[in-house]
Amino acid sequence: MENGHNLSKSAVIENIPLACSDELAAVEFLEKQRWGSTPACVKCGSVEVYKMKDAKTGERNSRYLWRCRDCKEQYTVRIGTVYEESRIELRHWCYAFWRACTSKKGVAALEIKRHCQISYKSALFLMNRIRFAMAPDPDAPKLKGVIECDETYIGPRKPRYKGTSKHGRGTSKTPVFVAVERQGQLCRRVIADVTANTLQGAIREEVDRRSRIITDEHRGYLGLENKFYKHETVSHGTYEFVRRDVHTNTAESTHALVKRGIVGIYHNVSREYLHRYLWQFDFMWNTRKMNDGERTVLAMKAAEGKRLMYQEPTQSL
Ligand SMILES: [Zn+2]
């Protein structure tokens, strides 16, 4: 046992609902996730540490402080994590993580506000940090194997200019690209446009060159086969949706899931913030084979590691 990764699955699932309702349980849950059975000082790394007690009651200190016998520093489990930046109770963090990691279509900040009885601003703060924790790892390996690529438009239907088409292309909807491994992981991103330059640039960045790529007949994908990829297309225009295994059904179903979530839970999202919501949907897709407890713990761990990278000037609590 060297750290919290060793918690058994059943322990994780039993502890999360309790951690969502009781602050001491939340603190101890996060301590266990972070340190496992050997708590260490966050300042010097010493394991000569102890939980501080309240002198009157003999119970745990009301701020859940630890103290290090070596460097004499006091600290809590919040130090050095995403939780350090807010005073929101840890049980609310646990609840928001749990809900975000167990709801396929996502969870609205308004719902977190109501359930935790915190301000809307606090609920938004929680959800933005959680979505950031779910953002893809920039060092993740490229997708490989059989890859379906597809582009779609997400967002409000209202056209930006009069005279343009009311649906899809030519409106104020935001173009989004996805590359998805059959049975595997996906990468999705907001793109500037659906030109060959943009689409194929995204493919080069996300997909290993030895892959077999399947797309529809959108002109943006023409010529991919000259760039080391094996490329096959399915022609939707002639009602040829599935030719043997040449189809883009997986890519289309992931887009459909995102669209239902964006409209149903978030009631549309502006172009500026759309990528954050995509992080959440894609995290759920990429961890779909995990159980709810494992997925929640994974997101919590990711939040710790990403704390310092978060830049959002308009947010402060
Ligand atoms: Zn120390």
Side-chain angles (χ1 to χ4, degrees):
M1 289 282 288
E2 75 276 21
N3 61 36
H5 291 295
N6 299 324
L7 271 184
S8 74
K9 287 180 192 177
S10 61
V12 167
I13 291 165
E14 282 163 25
N15 284 338
I16 291 176
L18 182 62
C20 294
S21 56
D22 179 83
E23 186 64 6
L24 175 61
V27 169
E28 294 191 337
F29 178 78
L30 292 172
E31 288 171 347
K32 186 135 196 184
Q33 294 303 321
R34 187 167 181 188
W35 296 311
S37 55
T38 50
C41 173
V42 299
K43 313 275 175 173
C44 74
S46 167
V47 293
E48 293 299 316
V49 296
Y50 62 94
K51 294 174 188 172
M52 295 179 72
K53 298 267 168 73
D54 184 277
K56 278 186 197 152
T57 64
E59 300 287 310
R60 222 177 142 173
N61 173 294
S62 61
R63 291 168 56 205
Y64 308 105
L65 283 166
W66 289 74
R67 187 166 182 274
C68 174
R69 289 196 175 90
D70 281 329
C71 71
K72 318 290 184 203
E73 290 282 346
Q74 297 176 1
Y75 61 90
T76 70
V77 71
R78 288 180 186 253
I79 302 299
T81 74
V82 64
Y83 317 115
E84 188 179 352
E85 299 159 47
S86 82
R87 310 184 76 155
I88 303 166
E89 284 176 73
L90 291 176
R91 64 194 174 107
H92 300 325
W93 280 100
C94 288
Y95 182 74
F97 266 106
W98 191 43
R99 288 298 313 280
C101 293
T102 52
S103 318
K104 216 172 185 180
K105 291 190 199 166
V107 56
L110 268 175
E111 197 178 331
I112 298 297
K113 167 189 182 270
R114 282 199 311 273
H115 291 183
C116 297
Q117 297 186 285
I118 56 179
S119 70
Y120 183 61
K121 195 180 168 192
S122 292
L124 261 186
F125 181 89
L126 284 177
M127 293 312 298
N128 283 336
R129 295 303 161 113
I130 290 170
R131 280 190 272 273
F132 185 66
M134 293 174 163
D137 177 0
D139 298 326
K142 290 186 176 188
L143 302 178
K144 59 180 190 295
V146 182
I147 313 287
E148 297 176 26
C149 295
D150 193 29
E151 77 296 331
T152 192
Y153 290 82
I154 295 179
R157 271 174 189 230
K158 193 165 157 269
R160 190 181 293 162
Y161 306 108
K162 278 188 179 163
T164 54
S165 155
K166 284 203 174 89
H167 301 283
R169 294 158 203 187
T171 72
S172 61
K173 285 170 177 261
T174 305
V176 169
F177 167 80
V178 72
V180 52
E181 293 173 339
R182 292 259 172 93
Q183 312 298 327
Q185 304 280 296
L186 66 73
C187 290
R188 189 181 340 248
R189 51 161 82 174
V190 173
I191 49 178
D193 52 50
V194 294
T195 61
N197 211 12
T198 303
L199 290 171
Q200 297 188 22
I203 290 173
R204 276 197 299 279
E205 285 171 30
E206 306 287 10
V207 183
D208 186 284
R209 282 189 165 179
R210 289 157 292 184
S211 304
R212 174 178 164 220
I213 291 185
I214 300 172
T215 68
D216 60 19
E217 290 190 320
H218 190 285
R219 281 180 307 168
Y221 302 112
L222 285 179
L224 259 183
E225 54 280 7
N226 302 329
K227 297 189 171 91
F228 304 100
Y229 295 102
K230 185 167 170 26
H231 179 213
E232 291 164 81
T233 57
V234 52
S235 166
H236 290 170
T238 56
Y239 301 99
E240 181 206 31
F241 287 99
V242 183
R243 186 178 69 239
R244 297 184 320 277
D245 69 333
V246 184
H247 63 79
T248 54
N249 296 351
T250 321
E252 285 159 36
S253 66
T254 73
H255 281 321
L257 199 66
V258 171
K259 287 179 186 181
R260 282 200 299 275
I262 296 276
V263 173
I265 308 289
Y266 304 109
H267 314 299
N268 277 322
V269 172
S270 72
R271 183 186 189 107
E272 187 184 359
Y273 297 122
L274 181 60
H275 64 281
R276 295 182 182 171
Y277 294 83
L278 298 184
W279 290 338
Q280 183 172 351
F281 286 105
D282 297 349
F283 176 84
M284 295 301 285
W285 177 275
N286 288 336
T287 59
R288 66 196 180 281
K289 288 168 189 162
M290 295 183 176
N291 69 39
D292 287 347
E294 293 171 303
R295 191 181 306 111
T296 305
V297 167
L298 181 70
M300 288 171 160
K301 287 267 164 206
E304 285 177 32
K306 284 174 176 162
R307 182 182 72 98
L308 297 174
M309 288 156 21
Y310 197 92
Q311 297 284 332
E312 194 173 38
T314 55
Q315 291 268 351
S316 61
L317 276 190

